[in-house]
Amino acid sequence: MTQPALSIPQLPPLAARALRRLPLTPLSFSLTAYARRIAKHHPGLFRRLGEFDHTRFVIDPTDLPFVIEMQPNGGQPKIKVVRGSGQGEARIAGPLAGLLGLVHGAYDGDALFFSRDLVIEGDTSAALALRNAIDDAELDLSAEVAQISGPLAAPLQKALSFIENRTGVSLSRQDELEVW
């Protein structure tokens, strides 16, 4: 029996073109601060990386005009957003919605890999360690953003939920329904 092809939402080309003008330095600083907050609240994420806790990863959302270089630095992560292919020991590439879906448990990494929606290059052991660490942490990126949003948390959560429902992009971790 053949599995149906995954339907991963793609960023519209017009939105990707608009992001070409985005200044990357402020985005890099913001993502570094965000990653350090996640590290503070999920220290096991970085411990789980083991020998790869200083490996440079390139996260390549293929529908965006930039890549994300991430270095865990033993729990003091540093993020740099760059144009081009980036530099790192391991590269993980796929549509932004697929990468976010992996983080939130909405997509299975093996299924994405074998359907070629996800590409792993370089040190595959490091990429697998990162995947396992993220799976274990059960991150919810929207919840992390809401926690630092103060009084804007509730309206932000509503807006993110609306966007998630309209686009099909997994912006938060969905609780699995138990079947009795």
Side-chain angles (χ1 to χ4, degrees), residues 20-175:
R20 286 187 188 142
R21 298 190 186 278
L22 186 69
L24 300 184
T25 301
L27 183 58
S28 296
F29 286 133
S30 297
L31 289 175
T32 294
Y34 182 58
R36 288 187 177 172
R37 183 186 191 294
I38 290 172
K40 181 179 176 185
H41 289 97
H42 300 276
L45 171 67
F46 295 94
R47 281 195 302 272
R48 176 83 194 252
L49 284 173
E51 67 183 277
F52 303 108
D53 69 341
H54 283 80
T55 299
R56 291 176 304 153
F57 296 91
V58 174
I59 311 300
D60 182 359
T62 55
D63 47 352
L64 293 181
F66 48 77
V67 300
I68 300 162
E69 296 178 351
M70 182 191 72
Q71 191 163 2
N73 288 330
Q76 289 294 313
K78 182 176 180 187
I79 306 289
K80 185 176 180 185
V81 182
V82 299
R83 301 195 198 288
S85 59
Q87 295 181 5
E89 286 80 40
R91 179 178 169 268
I92 303 163
L96 177 62
L99 297 171
L100 289 171
L102 282 173
V103 170
H104 293 124
Y107 294 123
D108 175 66
D110 293 335
L112 289 180
F113 179 76
F114 289 114
S115 68
R116 296 192 175 123
D117 289 306
L118 182 69
V119 175
I120 309 289
E121 296 175 340
D123 190 338
T124 55
S125 295
L128 183 59
L130 180 62
R131 172 194 165 190
N132 291 338
I134 290 171
D135 283 349
D136 258 12
E138 295 186 350
L139 296 175
D140 185 326
L141 300 178
S142 291
E144 297 287 339
V145 168
Q147 288 178 358
I148 59 175
S149 300
L152 298 176
L156 180 62
Q157 285 285 64
K158 285 182 184 179
L160 291 172
S161 180
F162 175 79
I163 292 168
E164 186 172 48
N165 289 332
R166 296 286 289 183
T167 64
V169 176
S170 177
L171 298 175
S172 61
R173 182 164 287 280
Q174 302 298 314
D175 294 327

